[in-house]
Structure formats: C-alpha cells, structure tokens
Amino acid sequence: MKQKNTGWYLLFTAPLIIIFALVVLVPFVMGFYYSFFRWDGISANPMTFIGLSNYTALMGDEDFYTSAWLTIKFTIMAVVAVNVLGLGLALLVTSKLKTVNYARAMFFMPNLIGGLILGYIWQFIFSDAFRVLGENFGFESIFRNWLLDSSLAMYALVIVFTWQMAGYMMVIYIAGIQGIPGDTIEAAKIDGANSWQRLKSVIMPLLMPSFTICLFLTLSFSFKIYDVNLSLTDGGPVGSTELFALHIYNEIFGYSNYGYGQAKAVVFFLLIGAVTLTQVYITKKREVEM
C-alpha cells in the first residue's frame, strides 16, 4: 500500500519538480556561473574568466547604489501603502456592508490586469488626464504630468503598485479575519471594548499569520517589480525610478554586460532572501496560537 502511494506521489510531484528545476534552478546556477566571466551575451563572442572582478567592481558602482537606494525607498512606501489599504479594504468588506460581494470583486479586479497594461493605463492618467484636469479645473501644482517630474514619478509608481496589489492582500486579510472565532469578538464587546480597542487588542494580534504572508509577498513583489516600472516610467525621468530589476535588465541587455549584470542579479537575490527571511522570522515569533 505504501509503495502504491509513493508511486502516486511521484506521478504528481515529479513533473512540478522537473519544471521548477528547469525554470528556476538551472537558470539561477547558470547566472551564478556567468557572473565570474566578462561576456557580452553573444554566443559567438568569447567568454573571459575574471573571477570575482564583477563583484569587486560593484563596490565602486554609483549607479548600483543609486538603484539599490531607489528600490529600498520604493519598497518601504509600497509595503506600508499596500498593507494599510489591503487591511482597510478587508475590514470594510467583512463589515455589514450591503454590497460586499460587488465591492470584493471591484477591489480585486486590478490584480487581474497585467503589470504592463496597468502601467500604460496609468501612464495616460498621470500624463494626459492630469494635464487636462489641471488646465480645466486649476490645482496645476497637483494636476500636471507626474511622470516628467523626478520628485513625483516615484510616488506615481507606488500608487500604481498599491492599486494593483491591495486587492490581492485584501483577500488574505479577509481569510484571516474570518478565521477569528466570533465568540472572541463577542467576549470583547461584552467586556466593553469599543471598535478601536477590538481592532488593536483582539483582531490585530490574531491576524499575525496574515501579516506574515502579506508582508512577505509585498516585500518580495516590491523588490522584484519590473513590468510596471518598465511600462509606466521606464526608469525616468533621468533615472529617478530605475529600480533594481530594471537596472539589471538594462545592464545585461542595454549595455551588453552580461557577466556584470549577472553579478548584480546574484547580489539582488541575496538581498531579497536576507530581508524576506528576516521578516518571516520576526513576524512568525509574534503569531498567537488559538
């Protein structure tokens, strides 16, 4: 019987393991290998082994540090905005709102649209639509082309990412809220706790598993953002929104520095791994057992 079950396990898991290895593990190992070479990515041209030179060159690369700082700044703003809005929407649609199902569908819908399309839609809004609003209704200090202003383009990127991801996080927070026992909430009400006290002292601590998942997802998605960055700002104006994934892409395919770009990608992977694992470790310790 045990051998029969093992066969079924292999039948269903083996294809997934093979696909994961081919799509993720093999390219990662190859990328790590190429990071020790000077190469332009063209197979006809020779690869020159240079050891750790690509990694040591990163130490003096100002563009690398600039892109890393922009990515960190974007990630901090995006993680806060997405989770605050996602939790707020989850609390709203788990209340006694009459249009709950309609509201859930509307809030989740932006997540169904691809990042490239979202970027082009919002590019029109932040440029042409805002300009028309400013010309007709005033407030031109706000309603102007955000994508041409290096001080506002980053906020535009955060807004679009938040609009895309908040509905997705809302679903996870809804599952967490609905998993809280009703008698626990009722006991808090009987003890005289008002809405804010129930949220702060009962709901929020019991939502820690949801926070762990949502923070992990938003952190990793924010660090890796590429499609919205490409279609909305393409890193501009003057490189003020060139986040790390786009920066690596430009290094490899724009400047044909394949080995150097791969070294940046490896460092990028280590950075994401360290931050997300630390976050999971910290938030896991704060989870409450029911």
Side-chain angles (χ1 to χ4, degrees):
M1 185 67 181
K2 187 176 180 181
Q3 287 183 343
K4 187 177 178 181
N5 287 336
T6 304
W8 280 109
Y9 295 150
L10 289 174
L11 177 65
F12 285 104
T13 57
L16 297 177
I17 293 172
I18 292 171
I19 292 171
F20 178 77
L22 291 176
V23 174
V24 178
L25 295 182
V26 172
F28 176 78
V29 173
M30 289 176 66
F32 184 66
Y33 171 75
Y34 289 135
S35 70
F36 298 105
F37 290 85
R38 181 185 295 116
W39 188 38
D40 59 7
I42 299 174
S43 56
N45 294 333
M47 295 168 55
T48 306
F49 181 76
I50 56 173
L52 295 174
S53 296
N54 283 329
Y55 291 96
T56 55
L58 288 178
M59 303 298 176
D61 190 338
E62 290 187 7
D63 292 339
F64 173 76
Y65 290 117
T66 301
S67 179
W69 167 241
L70 290 174
T71 307
I72 292 170
K73 193 164 76 169
F74 167 80
T75 300
I76 293 172
M77 291 191 289
V79 167
V80 173
V82 168
N83 283 283
V84 168
L85 185 59
L87 178 59
L89 294 176
L91 291 171
L92 178 66
V93 299
T94 51
S95 63
K96 295 179 180 177
L97 193 69
K98 291 183 179 178
T99 56
V100 165
N101 292 331
Y102 176 75
R104 287 184 184 185
M106 290 299 295
F107 294 145
F108 185 75
M109 195 173 293
N111 192 256
L112 301 177
I113 306 173
L116 280 174
I117 297 173
L118 269 184
Y120 288 124
I121 292 172
W122 279 89
Q123 189 183 67
F124 167 76
I125 294 172
F126 282 124
S127 54
D128 295 344
F130 268 34
R131 180 177 53 78
V132 171
L133 285 173
E135 290 173 353
N136 289 281
F137 300 104
F139 301 105
E140 293 185 10
S141 60
I142 298 174
F143 294 114
R144 54 195 169 95
N145 193 335
W146 284 29
L147 304 182
L148 294 179
D149 190 328
S150 58
S151 63
L152 294 175
M154 179 64 80
Y155 297 112
L157 200 56
V158 173
I159 289 171
V160 177
F161 182 76
T162 303
W163 192 70
Q164 180 187 25
M165 293 302 300
Y168 186 41
M169 297 304 129
M170 174 195 73
V171 174
I172 299 173
Y173 283 123
I174 288 173
I177 292 171
Q178 291 179 336
I180 298 174
D183 52 359
T184 304
I185 303 293
E186 287 300 320
K189 287 181 182 177
I190 293 171
D191 288 341
N194 57 33
S195 300
W196 169 245
Q197 289 169 328
R198 291 197 298 274
L199 175 65
K200 179 185 171 187
S201 303
V202 179
I203 296 175
M204 297 283 273
L206 294 176
L207 270 182
M208 280 312 294
S210 300
F211 281 121
T212 299
I213 298 170
C214 290
L215 287 174
F216 173 79
L217 291 175
T218 46
L219 271 173
S220 57
F221 288 163
S222 301
F223 273 118
K224 295 186 302 182
I225 184 172
Y226 171 75
D227 47 5
V228 175
N229 193 188
L230 176 69
S231 58
L232 184 66
T233 65
D234 196 17
V238 288
S240 60
T241 60
E242 190 184 64
L243 304 186
F244 223 84
L246 183 61
H247 177 71
I248 292 170
Y249 177 88
N250 289 335
E251 188 70 58
I252 293 176
F253 298 104
Y255 307 127
S256 299
N257 294 324
Y258 200 88
Y260 189 45
Q262 289 293 348
K264 290 184 176 181
V266 171
V267 173
F268 183 43
F269 167 78
L270 294 176
L271 174 67
I272 295 177
V275 172
T276 51
L277 290 177
T278 303
Q279 171 264 311
V280 170
Y281 174 76
I282 293 172
T283 52
K284 271 280 184 187
K285 288 179 68 176
R286 299 179 64 86
E287 290 183 5
V288 178
E289 295 285 343
M290 287 293 296

